[in-house]
Amino acid sequence: MRKGIHPENYRMVAFKDMSNGDVFLTKSTANSKETIDVEGIEYPLIKLEISRTSHPYYTGKMKLVDTAGRIDKFKNKYAKFKK
């Protein structure tokens, strides 16, 4: 293995799944301006949209995404900019 190519600043970081609120700790070099208190200790916080606790592959549950509703909302929002 080549020396000097791996980062030296690993530290404990909290990753939070924003879809279900699950928080897990692991070592990482990821930078964050936000922090979170977990069991009385403050950790840097990295927010995730999806993790192993909410991904349909791991949970076995499919989530219905309302794409038609999203498109309609987008069109209504930006209709006022049309000429």
Side-chain angles (χ1 to χ4, degrees):
M1 208 162 64
R2 283 183 26 193
K3 296 185 188 258
I5 62 170
H6 299 286
E8 299 288 332
N9 60 340
Y10 283 99
R11 68 199 188 293
M12 292 301 287
V13 176
F15 288 85
K16 183 174 183 178
D17 186 337
M18 300 309 289
S19 65
N20 64 6
D22 184 48
V23 177
F24 60 94
L25 299 171
T26 188
K27 287 187 173 183
S28 177
T29 61
N31 293 327
S32 175
K33 294 180 181 178
E34 298 180 65
T35 60
I36 188 171
D37 186 54
V38 178
E39 297 178 1
I41 302 173
E42 194 169 289
Y43 296 101
L45 173 65
I46 304 294
K47 294 180 179 178
L48 304 172
E49 290 183 27
I50 196 164
S51 71
R52 61 181 169 76
T53 59
S54 62
H55 193 281
Y57 179 80
Y58 297 108
T59 61
K61 299 176 184 173
M62 292 301 295
K63 185 177 178 182
L64 178 64
V65 177
D66 180 25
T67 55
R70 289 182 182 181
I71 293 168
D72 291 338
K73 286 180 189 177
F74 178 83
K75 287 180 180 178
N76 290 336
K77 182 176 180 180
Y78 290 100
K80 60 185 174 189
F81 296 112
K82 274 187 170 180
K83 286 187 175 183

